[in-house]
Amino acid sequence: MLELIRSAAKTWIAKVILAIITIPFALWGVESYIRTAPGTNIIAKVGGEKVTGQEFDNAVRTQLEQLRQRFGSQIDASLMDNPEMRKGVLDQLIDQRVLDKTTRGGTMAVSDARLRDLIVNNPNFMDSGQFSPALYERILKAQGYSAASFEAALRQDTERQQFLDSVSNTAIVSNTAIKGYLQASEQSREIAVVFVSPATFLDKVKVTPEQAQAFYDKNKAEFTIPEQARAEYIELSVDALAPAIAVTADEVKAYYETNKARYVTKEERKASHILISVAKDAKDADRKAAEEKANKLFAQLKNNPKDFADLAKKNSQDPGSAANGGDLGFFSRGMMVPQFDKAAFEGKKDELLGPVQTDFGYHIIRVTDIKPEKGKSLADVTAEIEGELKKQKASRKFAELAEKFSNAAFEQSSSLKAAAEVTGLPIKQSPFFAKGQAFQPPFNNAKLSAALFSDEVLKNKRNTEAIEVGSNTLVVARVLESKPAVVRPFAELQIGLIQRLAREEATKLAKADGEAKLAALKAGKDETKFPAALAVSKANPGGLQPGVIDAAMRANPKSLPAYVGYADPSGTYALIKVTKVVEAAAPDEAKITATRQRLQQTLGQKELVSVIAQLRSDVGVSISPGATDKKAEK
């Protein structure tokens, strides 16, 4: 019941929060065409409406920032040069435009009243539990929105989501299909396995030095140590600048006073309740009967408060808390539905409250514990505030220095000294690292690595340009030393190559032997001795590899014993004998319900893909050749 009460108060708000969080991604179309200048190149058309190159570039940048927020600031910006990633971004833009044309002015329209509710009830825009116009404007400004553009974006995104929900929530899965699915996925089989190992054939394999030499000569690229370089570099970032930033005690105090609410732990209350449930649309007689029962219990508890837990276990119709004597645990303001919340936070400890009417019925409430609001002192949070202020100042300084840093590296391209003087940051040095191979940051960035091995930087001894390697992180580097690519000598590799080729040949022999034995087993001619059978399933593989289990589950159960084979990537061949099929136990209703939800979600997503594809066809979509190609930077 606790979850029901909480979800009723918060689920629809959570959806709005999700929409707010995803707006930079889901509403590229809106923001892009608001900001796009006339005459920008057209890369696609959706039902006659244009998708511009500037919209696409904005969308790519937004996607990169989202990835950095989710996975860390060191996400390589060159990731968005990947053709599949860029195609995915354009597809997202096009799908949004298709959905907008489909929902515009139709039954999915969001009224002004609905839009207002979405905004004023969003916790992100609340101060002390109330909608704050000033906070609303401040957040929008920080995100680059005007009130009009944000409200248009939110309306548009809500219309899209309503349409998507109307499609994805219509999938129907029958009980028969669910039970069949569960039987197939939870079925176990008794199997015995014999492994044919390549090691048993090694003594039959002879690899000569001449064969190893021939293999070496044919595959020299495999044995080539790539070109290597050692670099010096300067990394300009917020984190690099922050330690040198000065913050005064007065600044810390002013920040604390302005943001005191951040350092307060809100009051929490612990309560128990007895629910006499009644449907929202119940008849008056049913509602009256529930109310009378609640009043009777309340009177009984007034005389004997100590009976609360026992009466909750016997009478409460909240399955989640009844077994615990009605205990709901601790909760803060706003976590319960309004009527329940108001009563619980106005009541005193051990006071009996109610009956309180909500959409779920009638609640008898007792507050059992109170955690008062607690605040941290200035001394408690000084270090935290200093770090935050340093970061803020460093962010502003980064913005001021970025262009100067880039210009200094370009104008005095034979040295990093000028760039170091501009930023006040040290020049660092890297060890040798190889071209095209993973290395420690910042040289794990593909664009920076490629620049260092370019002719301009490597041969002409120039600085790289200022390259973005992470969020608010620029690097300029130059090569100190380099080593050309070199092929490792055969003499160094000979023994290892002979062993490798022998293993490869032994693997072929093991597979051939295993397949021959499998064919004999199927023909009833082989006398391979199997160990005792073991009951296995996908959930309980008994220590066997997934490939062995999958092969066993694919064996035809109509004629037992059944024999199948599996060649392991390590070279071992598995002969599998299936002796018995053990059907899964009949699923209970809880499992059927959970499986139905999971399958409906999967089928709903497939249906959604199909519907959007059809809408694309109906609306008409054309994409310019090379639309997602990475354009050369000037």
Side-chain angles (χ1 to χ4, degrees):
M1 187 63 209
L2 176 61
E3 289 307 315
L4 281 175
I5 295 172
R6 290 176 176 172
S7 63
K10 298 183 71 177
T11 297
W12 67 275
I13 295 176
K15 289 183 178 178
V16 180
I17 294 172
L18 182 59
I20 298 296
I21 292 171
T22 59
I23 275 172
F25 180 73
L27 300 178
W28 288 329
V30 172
E31 274 306 283
S32 296
Y33 67 67
I34 287 171
R35 298 175 181 175
T36 300
T40 309
N41 63 307
I42 309 304
I43 63 172
K45 289 185 179 180
V46 180
E49 291 186 2
K50 301 170 182 177
V51 178
T52 68
Q54 184 173 334
E55 282 183 82
F56 177 67
D57 290 342
N58 289 343
V60 169
R61 283 193 293 272
T62 302
Q63 176 69 84
L64 178 60
E65 284 308 307
Q66 286 199 324
L67 290 171
R68 284 173 172 167
Q69 289 171 18
R70 184 173 180 182
F71 299 110
S73 61
Q74 293 301 320
I75 285 286
D76 191 341
S78 64
L79 176 68
M80 297 311 299
D81 295 344
N82 180 287
E84 290 300 315
M85 291 288 289
R86 295 175 70 80
K87 181 181 181 299
V89 170
L90 181 57
D91 282 340
Q92 179 91 11
L93 276 173
I94 291 171
D95 288 347
Q96 288 164 355
R97 200 64 65 83
V98 167
L99 289 174
D100 293 342
K101 291 182 74 66
T102 302
T103 59
R104 192 174 296 150
T107 57
M108 300 297 166
V110 176
S111 67
D112 291 342
R114 167 69 170 151
L115 184 66
R116 178 185 176 281
D117 286 343
L118 291 175
I119 293 172
V120 300
N121 290 294
N122 190 314
N124 291 307
F125 304 141
M126 289 184 179
D127 186 7
S128 300
Q130 298 293 322
F131 174 73
S132 169
L135 179 60
Y136 175 64
E137 291 179 9
R138 189 161 66 248
I139 291 176
L140 263 57
K141 185 176 181 181
Q143 296 295 322
Y145 284 98
S146 66
S149 66
F150 173 77
E151 288 161 16
L154 180 56
R155 186 192 301 273
Q156 192 173 45
D157 190 62
T158 305
E159 290 173 352
R160 289 177 190 153
Q161 194 58 51
Q162 289 177 166
F163 176 81
L164 296 176
D165 289 345
S166 73
V167 175
S168 61
N169 292 338
T170 57
I172 298 174
V173 185
S174 68
N175 275 5
T176 301
I178 292 169
K179 290 176 181 177
Y181 169 81
L182 288 172
Q183 281 288 339
S185 61
E186 297 183 358
Q187 180 190 87
S188 63
R189 298 190 171 192
E190 291 186 0
I191 68 171
V193 185
V194 169
F195 295 101
V196 182
S197 171
T200 59
F201 295 91
L202 281 173
D203 59 352
K204 298 179 182 180
V205 176
K206 302 297 180 186
V207 178
T208 66
E210 290 75 19
Q211 288 173 312
Q213 178 74 58
F215 182 85
Y216 171 83
D217 292 340
K218 189 176 180 179
N219 299 277
K220 280 189 176 179
E222 182 181 340
F223 310 114
T224 299
I225 298 173
E227 189 175 10
Q228 297 182 70
R230 186 171 71 85
E232 61 178 1
Y233 64 100
I234 301 173
E235 187 171 2
L236 174 63
S237 68
V238 171
D239 290 341
L241 294 170
I245 300 291
V247 175
T248 67
D250 288 342
E251 287 175 317
V252 172
K253 185 177 181 181
Y255 186 92
Y256 175 79
E257 294 297 334
T258 304
N259 297 276
K260 261 188 178 179
R262 287 180 53 183
Y263 307 110
V264 172
T265 302
K266 297 293 185 181
E267 178 185 357
E268 290 186 340
R269 297 213 163 190
K270 186 179 184 182
S272 296
H273 81 141
I274 298 172
L275 171 68
I276 306 303
S277 64
V278 60
K280 204 174 177 183
D281 56 353
K283 295 178 180 179
D284 289 342
D286 294 335
R287 189 174 298 281
K288 186 176 180 181
E291 184 178 8
E292 288 176 354
K293 183 176 180 180
N295 284 326
K296 185 178 179 181
L297 285 168
F298 185 79
Q300 189 175 346
L301 285 166
K302 276 285 190 181
N303 295 325
N304 297 288
K306 293 181 180 179
D307 292 343
F308 194 101
D310 288 338
L311 287 175
K313 291 176 182 178
K314 294 174 183 177
N315 296 278
S316 182
Q317 292 168 314
D318 170 14
S321 67
N324 298 321
D327 185 14
L328 295 171
F330 278 100
F331 52 89
S332 56
R333 285 186 186 273
M335 292 181 69
M336 301 297 184
V337 289
Q339 304 93 327
F340 191 107
D341 192 82
K342 184 175 186 293
F345 278 89
E346 288 180 355
K348 299 176 182 177
K349 185 178 178 182
D350 294 325
E351 182 180 0
L352 199 63
L353 308 167
V356 175
Q357 184 180 358
T358 73
D359 287 343
F360 298 99
Y362 295 90
H363 307 257
I364 300 168
I365 307 169
R366 184 175 66 176
V367 177
T368 56
D369 201 358
I370 298 174
K371 288 182 181 178
E373 181 175 284
K374 288 184 179 179
K376 294 180 180 178
S377 68
L378 175 60
D380 292 334
V381 295
T382 292
E384 179 184 342
I385 293 174
E386 284 179 344
E388 178 64 26
L389 290 175
K390 284 188 174 188
K391 191 172 182 179
Q392 290 179 7
K393 288 186 175 184
S395 294
R396 292 193 290 271
K397 189 171 182 180
F398 176 87
E400 295 168 3
L401 290 177
E403 186 173 358
K404 295 177 182 178
F405 177 62
S406 180
N407 290 341
F410 175 77
E411 291 166 1
Q412 297 191 33
S413 61
S414 60
S415 169
L416 294 180
K417 184 178 179 182
E421 290 173 350
V422 164
T423 60
L425 293 172
I427 299 174
K428 301 178 182 179
Q429 293 188 3
S430 76
F432 276 101
F433 58 93
K435 181 179 181 180
Q437 294 185 356
F439 193 60
Q440 66 191 39
F443 300 101
N444 60 339
N445 180 278
K447 188 174 182 180
L448 177 60
S449 180
L452 279 166
F453 287 98
S454 67
D455 286 348
E456 178 68 15
V457 176
L458 188 65
K459 295 181 179 178
N460 297 337
K461 306 297 182 184
R462 301 291 185 185
N463 298 335
T464 66
E465 63 179 328
I467 294 172
E468 182 184 18
V469 299
S471 180
N472 293 328
T473 305
L474 297 174
V475 170
V476 171
R478 61 182 290 101
V479 174
L480 290 173
E481 295 180 75
S482 63
K483 297 178 182 179
V486 59
V487 181
R488 295 174 65 187
F490 174 71
E492 180 182 308
L493 301 169
Q494 179 178 341
I495 294 175
L497 281 176
I498 289 174
Q499 292 173 344
R500 170 180 164 179
L501 293 175
R503 284 195 303 271
E504 290 176 357
E505 188 59 31
T507 295
K508 293 177 184 177
L509 293 175
K511 184 178 180 182
D513 183 69
E515 289 176 342
K517 288 178 178 177
L518 177 62
L521 284 166
K522 289 182 176 181
K525 298 177 181 178
D526 193 85
E527 295 187 4
T528 298
K529 292 184 179 180
F530 285 89
L534 172 71
V536 298
S537 66
K538 290 189 176 182
N540 298 292
L544 296 172
Q545 291 187 336
V548 173
I549 302 300
D550 288 343
M553 292 299 173
R554 287 196 299 270
N556 187 350
K558 294 181 180 180
S559 179
L560 299 178
Y563 299 96
V564 289
Y566 170 69
D568 184 87
S570 68
T572 298
Y573 191 88
L575 287 164
I576 306 162
K577 179 182 181 181
V578 181
T579 59
K580 185 178 180 181
V581 174
V582 182
E583 298 297 345
D588 58 24
E589 284 303 315
K591 180 173 285 188
I592 290 174
T593 299
T595 304
R596 175 181 286 108
Q597 291 173 347
R598 188 169 68 252
L599 294 179
Q600 284 177 334
Q601 184 178 21
T602 301
L603 292 173
Q605 289 301 314
K606 288 183 178 179
E607 178 67 14
L608 201 54
V609 171
S610 176
V611 168
I612 291 178
Q614 183 60 50
L615 290 176
R616 275 190 174 218
S617 177
D618 294 343
V619 169
V621 173
S622 61
I623 301 175
S624 303
T628 60
D629 289 352
K630 173 68 175 172
K631 304 297 187 292
E633 296 181 6
K634 296 180 181 179

